[in-house]
Amino acid sequence: MKSPLIGITTGYEQRGEAVAELAKRYIDAVAQAGGIPVTVAPTGQDGRLIEHYAHVLDGLILSGGRDIPPDLYGEEAHPQTDALPPDRPLFEIALVRLLREMDKPVLGICYGCQLLNVAFGGTLIQDIPSQVGQIVKHRRTSSEEPHARHVVAVRSDSLIRQILGREEIEIVSSHHQAVKQPAPGMKVTATAPDGVIETIELEDARFLVGVQWHPEMDPEAEATRRLMQAFIRSASQNTTL
Ligand SMILES: [Mn+2]
């Protein structure tokens, strides 16, 4: 198998100056599954540069992050929404649309799952505790606690079900937003017990999957191994033109 070049997106944090940061777990997850991880930080809206990324990469992971500015999906901000500056999501939206045209694999994780839905025309629940309820704990309430875990039910007629091979799995959850209206062509493929959407996939794409949970925070889990291997295998089958 050819080792595919996998971009992992990141945003900037202001530490006096802008600093690109990415949790090492994402790098480890890609390397562990046989991919070559490269960090991809936003370069603005220069279309030529974004095209170069799309051509060079064999696959892309959209990593976790804060909230997508709600004006990108036509809504006013909820009081609990903690939006990122728009440079990161705008860069990622342009990049994933190109990758979709080229049918290259994309895996969105947490924020990345939400980004995929917004990129193709869907909307988001802005705050699960106030808009859905607290039956399922999707995020820990203090950084002293371990991360929340909950089960998700995986629908049978889906790529993610084929990959995971199970109808129910337990995952690590750290989010307060989720997919509301799925984008046109976006299939809901798993849900939490409270109905919150936990995975989506774009129909007619080879591999364009969003998981609302954090496989990279659960490196020993069977579901993580299966998901990462399926993604890397798919990316290794790209013919670079
Ligand atoms: Mn969850």
Side-chain angles (χ1 to χ4, degrees):
M1 187 179 93
K2 174 187 161 239
S3 292
L5 193 67
I6 305 296
I8 309 170
T9 62
T10 178
Y12 295 110
E13 295 297 329
Q14 287 299 328
R15 307 220 183 287
E17 60 183 321
V19 173
E21 281 187 340
L22 179 69
K24 180 172 176 286
R25 290 173 180 282
Y26 291 98
I27 307 280
D28 293 344
V30 168
Q32 178 78 32
I36 303 167
V38 290
T39 304
V40 176
T43 52
Q45 291 303 294
D46 179 346
R48 224 172 45 91
L49 203 44
I50 297 174
E51 259 179 59
H52 282 307
Y53 274 118
H55 280 280
V56 163
L57 296 174
D58 296 309
L60 183 73
I61 290 181
L62 299 158
S63 69
R66 304 210 314 269
D67 300 339
I68 297 170
D71 58 315
L72 296 184
Y73 49 93
E75 286 193 8
E76 299 283 317
H78 182 282
Q80 295 302 320
T81 293
D82 175 27
L84 288 165
D87 59 333
R88 175 179 177 186
L90 289 174
F91 170 81
E92 290 172 323
I93 286 170
L95 182 54
V96 298
R97 285 181 181 162
L98 275 179
L99 292 170
R100 192 276 183 278
E101 277 174 33
M102 298 163 85
D103 206 22
K104 290 188 176 183
V106 180
L107 174 62
I109 295 176
C110 196
Y111 158 95
C113 172
Q114 297 159 13
L115 189 283
L116 284 178
N117 193 48
V118 171
F120 296 102
T123 64
L124 303 179
I125 293 170
Q126 290 193 44
D127 185 54
I128 295 167
S130 59
Q131 295 182 304
V132 175
Q134 307 195 43
I135 301 162
V136 174
K137 192 173 180 179
H138 289 278
R139 186 165 72 173
R140 64 183 176 183
T141 40
S142 116
S143 57
E144 319 281 284
E145 295 173 26
H147 282 290
R149 304 182 76 98
H150 65 76
V151 295
V152 301
V154 186
R155 298 195 184 162
S156 56
D157 56 338
S158 64
L159 176 61
I160 193 79
R161 173 67 171 271
Q162 235 174 291
I163 291 168
L164 299 176
R166 290 174 59 184
E167 59 189 47
E168 190 175 279
I169 58 164
E170 194 191 75
I171 50 80
V172 175
S173 185
S174 182
H175 62 115
H176 81 118
Q177 299 201 332
V179 170
K180 185 162 74 179
Q181 180 65 48
M186 199 68 87
K187 247 168 59 169
V188 174
T189 52
T191 51
D194 57 0
V196 164
I197 293 171
E198 291 280 345
T199 70
I200 53 174
E201 58 194 52
L202 194 65
E203 288 170 325
D204 307 323
R206 195 150 57 90
F207 193 119
L208 196 145
V209 172
V211 298
Q212 186 55 71
W213 73 80
H214 282 279
E216 85 289 356
M217 288 185 188
D218 213 358
E220 305 301 325
E222 166 89 0
T224 295
R225 194 182 55 78
R226 283 176 173 251
L227 178 60
M228 292 308 300
Q229 285 188 351
F231 171 66
I232 297 297
R233 198 176 312 119
S234 182
S236 74
Q237 287 154 7
N238 283 325
T239 49
T240 310
L241 298 175

